[in-house]
């Protein structure tokens, strides 16, 4: 099947075939996207406008095929390019729900979590405790107790973690630990820096590494099995991860000399995705090939046995599986300046544009092929002037009631959503093979009142 999706964007309105089915992060739309005989947009075999009518809008739509394809590519690329053991972990902060945890677990992924809520979601979603790592720069005693009880690997981020673990771990049941340090490499999409000290709240400073490794050696309750570093997100370059492999192999050598039986090397996440036409991230396989090759070489150069290789993709695993359908409502033309089209969601379901000035691509779900473009700004419905999802964007002319799909919203949308203006969160559905299933029901205004408590003395008399 020749899959074609019209992605309209400023400066570029060509047909965009989904050219890399194995690497969803290189396609704006889900890989199952197609235009049906009525010239309407279909994902997972479901016409999006019908889903919008059935489930209401805004609606988060998840394409199961795209998600599974990304998982399979990570797993098969690790097998192909890394001669040792490997375990990819899903960075669940990107989108933590039972259904996604269940899918990634069934594909052979482990998971990383940063709170008791994410841990609980993963465990209930079927991820085994021994395949979960628990991050965080300020874990609470309760969170650590929960992780320890469920045999989760705890990523030591600082001395506070060590102090709290002394209260629970014992020689009889040692805590399984990884150590996170700041490798002196930090990335932002197109540039990266290398320094001795990073101004970061996460992990041990490289200067502390030796002393903390020596200290851990003296604790019979501590079982240090891995090292971890994460250098950034939405990264399009591969060189930073090559450098990272060298820094981590040095740390591995040091830890083994001190006597820690380290078996896991976790290089974090960070692979970028295509949000707009100009974005050109490496493929999943290329990224895995590079980090695997770099770890193999770094270990060989230092005469080290190959560790189990871990990585923690978040965005590149889930972002392009997801899209959000909105209904277009009001229109405001500011003559000579801008035309605003408002949708029935915005910064509460997608805070990335207002937070990071992130760019997105979109199309009209029932007019994906129309070319009578108008320049519009898609605004949300919240009481913030900055609540804009797409600015100065070319969209075929449309009217109130039309449905708009915004692509690439599978990561860091639901997970960063809020109830700002007491707007309920959208429902989420999973689509595939022509059918759709609810995976998260829509929040209702009454849900928002459920945690409010009105003290008796405030209740109006009579
Ligand atoms: C955010 C994060 C990830 C995932 O990053 P992506 O860019 O979404 O792949 C992985 N590991 C850690 C520790 C993180 O903080």
């Amino acid at each position: 099947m020749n899959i074609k999706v019209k992605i309209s964007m400023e400066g570029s309105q060509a047909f965009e075939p989904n050219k890399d089915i194995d690497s969803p992060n290189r396609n704006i739309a889900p890989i199952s996207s197609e235009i049906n005989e009525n010239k309407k947009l279909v994902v997972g075999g479901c016409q999006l406008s019908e889903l919008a009518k059935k489930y209401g809008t805004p609606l988060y739509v998840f394409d199961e095929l795209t998600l599974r394809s990304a998982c399979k590519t990570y797993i098969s690329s690790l097998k192909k390019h890394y001669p040792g053991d490997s375990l990819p972990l899903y960075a669940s902060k990107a989108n933590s729900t039972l259904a996604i945890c269940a899918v990634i677990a069934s594909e052979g992924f482990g998971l990383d979590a940063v709170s008791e809520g994410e841990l609980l979601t993963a465990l209930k979603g079927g991820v085994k405790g021994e395949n979960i790592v628990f991050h965080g720069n300020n874990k609470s005693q309760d969170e650590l107790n929960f992780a320890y009880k469920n045999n989760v690997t705890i990523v030591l981020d600082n001395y506070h973690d060590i102090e709290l673990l002394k209260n629970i771990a014992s020689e009889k049941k040692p805590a399984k630990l990884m150590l996170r340090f700041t490798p002196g490499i930090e990335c932002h999409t197109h540039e990266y820096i290398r320094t001795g000290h990073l101004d970061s709240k996460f992990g041990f400073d490289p200067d502390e590494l030796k002393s903390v490794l020596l200290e851990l050696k003296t604790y019979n309750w501590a079982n240090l099995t891995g090292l971890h570093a994460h250098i950034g997100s939405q990264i399009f370059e591969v060189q930073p991860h090559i450098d990272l492999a060298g820094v981590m192999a040095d740390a591995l050598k040091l830890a083994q000399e001190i006597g820690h039986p380290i078996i896991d090397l976790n290089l974090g996440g960070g692979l970028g995705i295509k949000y707009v036409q100009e974005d050109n991230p490496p493929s999943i396989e290329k990224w895995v090939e590079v980090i695997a090759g770099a770890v193999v070489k770094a270990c060989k150069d230092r005469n080290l046995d190959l560790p189990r290789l871990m990585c923690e993709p978040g965005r590149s695993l889930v972002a392009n599986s997801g899209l959000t359908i909105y209904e277009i409502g009001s229109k405001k033309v500011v003559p000579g300046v801008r035309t605003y089209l408002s949708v029935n969601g915005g910064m509460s379901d997608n805070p990335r544009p207002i937070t990071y000035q992130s760019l997105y691509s979109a199309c009209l779900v029932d007019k994906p092929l129309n070319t009578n473009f108008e320049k519009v700004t898609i605004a949300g419905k919240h009481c913030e002037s900055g609540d804009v999802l797409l600015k100065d964007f070319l969209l075929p002319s449309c009217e109130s009631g039309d449905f708009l799909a915004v692509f690439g919203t599978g990561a860091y949308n639901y997970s960063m959503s809020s109830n700002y203006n007491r707007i309920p969160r959208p429902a989420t559905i999973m689509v595939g093979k022509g059918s759709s299933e609810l995976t998260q029901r829509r929040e209702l205004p009454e849900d928002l009142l459920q945690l409010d408590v009105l003290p008796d003395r405030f209740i109006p008399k009579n």
Side-chain angles (χ1 to χ4, degrees), residues 308-328:
R308 180 165 69 157
L309 179 58
M310 290 179 163
C311 59
E312 299 175 322
R315 189 190 313 269
S316 58
L317 208 61
V318 293
N320 303 93
S321 313
L323 58 87
T324 309
I325 309 177
Y326 301 96
E327 185 176 332
I328 292 172

Side-chain angles (χ1 to χ4, degrees), residues 74 89-94 112-114 133 135-136 155 157 180 202 228-235 266-273 287 311-318 411-412:
Y74 269 105
L89 308 167
Y90 167 45
S92 69
K93 70 176 190 223
D112 100 44
V114 293
V133 303
H135 284 288
V155 184
D157 202 272
R180 177 172 186 166
F202 297 109
H228 172 275
H230 171 73
I231 56 177
S233 202
Q234 184 62 356
I235 304 171
N266 183 340
L267 269 61
L271 173 61
I273 70 139
W287 188 81
C311 59
E312 299 175 322
R315 189 190 313 269
S316 58
L317 208 61
V318 293
Y412 305 114

